[in-house]
């Protein structure tokens, strides 16, 4: 007995020693308190003027979600009146500004910024270059070949919009960047980092009006792709692009002459689903949504996916005679559809609010295949149950949510409103906020503006780019939202929705927030940050290292010749300006590569 006790004592003492060494310590924090210069939102006057779209001013935002400072080593620029780049401290972002002297490109214009990642041998370069005589024949190249992370060329964004680069990881963990998506199952990949965190201490990308990735005209109304479509890629691709929280609005559509005839369940986006006359349109069918989720979870088992479902009401094909509230028949038809979703999680412990359960509580379910959780907003469910716990459909209030919708059109008012709303939440320790906060990083334009400039335009030109400097600057290890909900996730170029044209900023922001920023809060993360520990913590990183090139049209090559650096200029012309302000007075070979 005594021997057993002392063995137990030795064992627990050894455990303490390991813990002390592996513990998160506030003095080990690397997250910088330094502020980078404030950025600029794309002005509405520029966004709304086709002529201004050709403005020679634009930005490259760099987001550093690593424990290393990004040091600007040098820049040179030719034919540019602004070439303002700078260091990016750990956990921060910087909106670097570029303005060409001429609206019309000259093929010899060129600018490059060279960065080094402090304390490592890693380097990267950002390039802008004229490629032809037309105003938009300019390109931006993010060259991470010096980190074995490839190169990507973006079409000139112009119009005071931006191209964004997100880098996360560390020298010990390996580096990752947003030039491309990785395998889709990011939560399973960083399982060891997030498994013990309550769900309210996660950061999840989310999508708004998630089913509206197309317009399907199942109801006869005036909603069109400009004012009613909120996404460019379907639910399967949204999942691959990192989204784990979905805003699904599902309704049944009924025969104009026979309300008892349900023509099908569809995602809808309408102004008011209970109004006598509602306007909007339909998106993906519920069947499509279900098969897309099943395809993703089959390929990527072990994730946690929240589907926040509302409307749950019927409308006539011509939606001019009020709603049809669901009775037992429609509710049962809906339930039998939902039973087709694999990896639902029935009979969860409803005595614990979901936001307080550790991520592993959900991710380990279904033999490790994870959880697809339905959260129903039951405000339109009158004479039918508001949840079906045995089928994995829960009332929305099973999770304590604060959902902040700004209802603002202009990004310069929208962004500060969202940020101030999550900034006062403290995470971890005695003052923990305790709830799950949803930030709706999306514009709500009035009908005239959305019809003229499109929800896509607002998202990809103004709103999403601002997330990566303003939004990131507003987050810290103590304050961040749990869901960052956006329109047009992954879409970077207008109307370019094919997978190889998408951009992976949100995917890597999601990973980097969980891996780096949140791990720096020792009240949330008791163990040493995975990025400063040796690599063995996670089951080996993402895909094999890739050092190819993705061109502006989406084509890519996997094994470019080592000399190929698009946008790189081999000579520096007389008149080239360096970072220190020195102007070159003769033409020389470019000493950097
Ligand atoms: C400015 O930078 C250039 C390029 O790095 C360098 O050759 C030059 O000596 C620097 N000038 C001064 C005054 O530091
Ligand atoms: C460089 O440009 C300046 C200004 O245009 C000019 O005065 C100078 O002669 C040029 N130098 C050379 C070596 O061409």
């Amino acid at each position: 007995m005594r021997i057993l006790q002392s063995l137990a004592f030795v064992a627990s003492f050894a455990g303490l020693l390991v813990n002390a060494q592996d513990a998160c310590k506030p003095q080990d924090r690397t997250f910088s308190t330094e502020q980078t210069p404030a950025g600029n939102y794309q002005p509405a006057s520029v966004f709304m003027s086709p002529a201004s779209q050709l403005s020679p001013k634009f930005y490259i935002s760099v987001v550093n979600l690593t424990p290393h400072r990004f040091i600007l080593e040098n820049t040179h620029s030719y034919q540019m009146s602004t070439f303002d780049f700078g260091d990016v401290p750990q956990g921060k972002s910087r909106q670097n500004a570029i303005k060409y002297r001429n609206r019309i490109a000259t093929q010899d214009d060129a600018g490059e910024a060279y960065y080094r990642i402090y304390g490592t041998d890693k380097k990267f370069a950002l390039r802008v270059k004229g490629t032809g005589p037309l105003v938009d024949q300019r390109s931006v190249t993010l060259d991470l070949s010096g980190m074995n992370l490839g190169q990507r060329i973006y079409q000139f964004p112009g119009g005071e919009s931006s191209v964004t680069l997100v880098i996360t990881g560390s020298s010990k963990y390996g580096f990752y960047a947003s030039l491309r998506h990785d395998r889709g199952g990011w939560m399973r990949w960083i399982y060891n980092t997030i498994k013990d965190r309550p769900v309210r201490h996660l950061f999840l990308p989310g999508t708004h009006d998630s089913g509206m990735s197309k317009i399907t005209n199942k109801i006869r109304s005036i909603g069109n792709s400009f004012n009613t479509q909120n996404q460019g890629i379907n639910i399967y691709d949204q999942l691959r692009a990192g989204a784990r929280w979905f805003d699904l609005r599902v309704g049944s559509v009924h025969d104009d002459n026979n309300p008892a005839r349900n023509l099908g369940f569809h995602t809808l986006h309408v102004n008011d689903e209970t109004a006598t006359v509602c306007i909007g349109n339909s998106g993906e069918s519920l069947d499509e949504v279900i098969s897309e989720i099943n395809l993703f979870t089959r390929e990527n088992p072990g994730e946690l996916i929240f589907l926040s479902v509302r409307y749950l009401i019927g409308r006539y094909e011509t939606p001019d005679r009020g709603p049809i509230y669901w009775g037992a028949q429609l509710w049962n038809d809906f339930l039998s559809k939902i039973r087709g979703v694999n990896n639902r999680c029935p009979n969860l412990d409803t005595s614990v609010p979901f936001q307080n359960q550790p991520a592993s509580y959900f991710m380990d379910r279904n033999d490790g295949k994870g959880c697809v959780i339905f959260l129903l907003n039951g405000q339109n469910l009158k004479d039918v149950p508001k949840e079906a716990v045995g089928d994995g459909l829960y009332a929305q209030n099973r999770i304590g949510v604060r959902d902040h919708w700004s209802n603002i059109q202009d990004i310069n008012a929208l962004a500060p409103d969202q940020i101030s709303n999550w900034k006062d939440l403290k995470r971890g320790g005695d003052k923990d906020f305790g709830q799950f906060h949803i930030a709706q990083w999306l514009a709500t334009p009035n009908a005239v503006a959305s019809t003229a400039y499109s929800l896509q335009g607002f998202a990809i030109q103004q709103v999403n780019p601002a997330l990566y400097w303003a939004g990131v600057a507003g987050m810290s290890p103590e304050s961040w939202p749990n869901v960052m909900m956006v329109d047009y996730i992954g879409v970077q170029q207008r109307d370019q929705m094919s997978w190889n044209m998408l951009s992976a900023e949100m995917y890597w922001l999601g990973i980097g927030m969980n891996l780096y920023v949140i791990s720096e809060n020792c009240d949330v993360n008791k163990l040493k940050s995975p990025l400063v520990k040796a690599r063995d913590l996670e089951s080996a990183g993402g895909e094999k290292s890739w050092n190819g090139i993705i061109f502006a049209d989406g084509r890519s090559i996997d094994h470019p010749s080592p000399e190929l650096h698009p946008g790189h200029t081999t000579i520096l012309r007389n008149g080239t300006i360096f970072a220190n302000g020195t102007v070159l007075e003769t033409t020389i070979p470019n000493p950097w590569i």
Side-chain angles (χ1 to χ4, degrees):
M1 193 59 177
R2 177 162 295 194
I3 291 172
L4 275 181
Q5 268 175 357
S6 56
L7 274 179
F9 174 76
V10 169
S12 68
F13 186 66
L16 276 179
L17 280 182
V18 171
N19 282 345
Q21 201 181 17
D22 279 358
C24 181
K25 298 192 198 77
Q27 65 268 29
D28 292 340
R29 180 177 281 213
T30 62
F31 187 88
S32 174
T33 52
E34 199 178 319
Q35 293 304 324
T36 48
N40 295 294
Y41 300 104
Q42 185 191 45
S45 59
V46 171
F47 172 57
M48 292 177 177
S49 146
S52 304
Q53 290 299 303
L54 300 178
S55 150
K57 186 172 172 189
F58 66 103
Y59 302 94
I60 302 178
S61 299
V62 177
V63 181
N64 177 356
L65 301 178
T66 82
H68 316 277
R69 188 181 181 90
F70 296 172
I71 312 273
L72 180 70
E73 296 218 288
N74 214 332
T75 67
H76 62 80
S77 67
Y78 181 71
Q79 301 283 0
M80 291 167 207
S81 54
T82 304
F83 202 74
D84 174 23
F85 286 72
D87 284 9
V88 192
Q90 312 88 278
K92 301 291 168 155
S93 61
R94 190 179 197 280
Q95 191 204 43
N96 300 297
I98 299 125
K99 187 171 184 200
Y100 280 94
R101 204 162 273 146
N102 306 306
R103 289 173 67 93
I104 306 299
T106 63
Q107 288 178 55
D108 55 7
D109 62 24
E112 294 179 289
Y114 302 101
Y115 280 90
R116 172 168 65 85
I117 299 191
Y118 183 77
T120 76
D121 60 356
K122 300 289 188 271
K123 291 171 183 255
F124 64 92
L126 311 174
R127 318 199 145 98
V128 297
K129 182 88 187 80
T131 55
L134 299 179
V135 81
D136 59 350
Q137 284 182 313
R138 289 171 163 151
S139 66
V140 175
T141 304
L142 311 179
D143 182 349
L144 279 71
S145 57
M147 304 172 69
N148 268 325
L149 292 173
Q151 304 179 59
R152 179 149 181 185
I153 303 150
Y154 288 93
Q155 202 179 320
F156 173 61
E160 303 187 26
S161 191
S162 21
V163 165
T164 298
L165 169 62
V166 179
I167 300 178
T168 187
S170 67
S171 56
K172 290 210 168 112
Y173 194 87
F175 287 101
Y176 300 90
S178 60
L179 308 199
R180 62 207 291 261
H181 286 97
D182 199 82
R183 57 175 168 181
W186 66 265
M187 296 186 81
R188 180 54 50 178
W189 171 30
I190 61 168
Y191 178 80
N192 285 332
T193 299
I194 60 177
K195 68 177 167 36
D196 297 327
R197 289 185 191 162
V199 163
R200 67 174 197 280
H201 289 162
L202 300 177
F203 177 96
L204 305 174
T207 58
H208 171 235
D209 267 303
S210 315
M212 300 305 297
S213 60
K214 57 183 180 178
I215 295 292
T216 56
N217 299 310
K218 299 297 174 192
I219 55 173
R220 295 192 189 95
S221 184
I222 58 171
N224 62 28
S225 63
F226 266 51
N227 55 32
T228 307
Q229 185 176 335
N230 298 71
Q231 301 295 333
I233 56 177
N234 70 18
I235 304 276
Y236 169 67
D237 280 343
Q238 290 172 33
L239 282 158
R240 293 165 77 202
R244 294 293 179 270
W245 181 278
F246 295 84
D247 164 34
L248 275 186
R249 308 180 184 189
V250 178
S252 48
V253 177
H254 298 257
D255 190 325
D256 272 343
N257 303 313
N258 178 8
R261 188 158 168 253
N262 173 13
L263 301 173
F265 294 98
H266 296 275
T267 59
L268 301 174
H269 179 192
V270 296
N271 61 332
D272 175 358
E273 76 277 13
T274 62
T276 305
V277 178
C278 75
I279 55 173
N281 212 314
S282 58
E284 295 187 38
S285 69
L286 184 57
D287 289 334
E288 288 172 314
V289 171
I290 291 170
S291 67
E292 289 160 8
I293 294 169
N294 287 344
L295 176 58
F296 177 82
T297 58
R298 191 155 65 236
E299 292 175 351
N300 300 278
E303 303 286 302
L304 167 56
I305 300 165
F306 286 108
L307 301 154
S308 167
V309 192
R310 49 199 264 218
Y311 287 4
L312 301 171
I313 207 166
R315 296 295 315 200
Y316 287 93
E317 276 183 284
T318 308
D320 62 355
R321 276 165 290 163
I324 297 166
Y325 289 99
W326 287 3
Q329 177 76 50
L330 284 162
W331 169 250
N332 286 331
D333 290 349
F334 174 71
L335 264 190
S336 65
K337 289 265 181 221
I338 297 297
R339 289 192 185 112
V341 176
N342 300 329
N343 305 311
R344 281 166 296 119
C345 281
N347 303 313
L348 294 172
D349 179 359
T350 49
S351 70
V352 179
F354 289 174
Q355 79 274 15
N356 296 336
Q357 293 283 17
S360 60
Y361 177 73
F362 303 101
M363 293 171 71
D364 290 350
R365 239 147 247 275
N366 293 310
D367 299 321
K369 295 201 200 89
C371 262
V372 179
I373 298 191
F374 287 85
L375 297 164
L376 305 187
N377 175 329
Q379 67 184 18
N380 297 327
L381 296 175
K382 296 195 180 299
D383 301 320
V384 294
K386 289 177 191 289
E387 60 182 355
V389 170
D391 284 302
L393 284 79
Y394 298 89
Q396 178 99 51
N397 63 12
R398 298 290 182 195
I399 182 166
V401 164
R402 186 172 80 169
D403 187 347
H404 185 60
W405 175 45
S406 298
N407 195 8
I408 290 174
Q409 172 169 308
D410 294 322
I411 182 62
N412 54 346
L414 165 64
D417 178 66
Q418 284 294 326
I419 294 165
S420 66
N421 216 268
W422 77 60
K423 231 179 163 163
D424 60 340
L425 318 178
K426 291 288 171 275
R427 306 295 191 158
D430 301 339
K431 301 222 168 68
D432 190 89
F433 172 59
Q435 305 287 302
F436 189 84
H437 179 83
I438 299 175
Q440 298 203 26
W441 193 271
L442 46 100
T444 307
N446 65 47
V448 173
S450 65
T451 304
Y453 308 108
S454 85
L455 296 175
Q456 182 185 179
F458 277 95
I460 70 170
Q461 285 262 313
Q462 280 200 304
V463 180
N464 295 350
L467 175 58
Y468 299 94
W469 58 271
V472 168
M475 294 192 277
S476 73
E478 277 69 41
S479 302
W480 74 90
N482 299 107
V483 173
M484 188 64 82
M485 185 189 278
V486 296
D487 281 333
Y488 284 87
I489 191 171
V491 179
Q492 204 270 351
Q493 292 282 320
R494 193 169 188 111
D495 296 332
Q496 300 301 315
M497 317 301 189
S498 61
W499 185 252
N500 57 350
M501 287 297 288
L502 302 181
S503 205
E505 289 97 66
M506 188 50 127
Y507 184 87
W508 291 105
L509 177 69
I511 293 175
M513 282 300 299
N514 290 297
L515 207 52
Y516 175 62
V517 178
I518 299 173
S519 295
E520 293 257 310
N521 179 337
C522 294
D523 288 331
V524 165
N525 177 61
K526 302 289 181 203
L527 295 176
K528 190 172 270 202
S529 164
L531 298 188
V532 300
K533 278 188 67 127
R535 176 63 180 283
D536 59 272
L537 236 189
E538 306 284 358
S539 52
E543 287 175 356
K544 280 205 308 289
S545 84
W546 178 85
N547 211 1
I549 302 180
I550 304 172
F551 295 93
D553 62 2
R555 284 182 308 117
S556 62
I557 48 177
D558 291 334
H559 303 286
S561 105
E563 293 79 47
L564 187 53
H565 295 278
H568 176 63
T569 179
T570 51
I571 50 162
L572 301 184
R573 286 173 193 278
N574 180 4
T576 292
I577 304 171
F578 294 108
N580 61 11
T582 299
V583 181
L584 198 58
E585 283 169 359
T586 175
T587 294
I588 61 164
N590 185 348
W592 293 282
I593 180 65

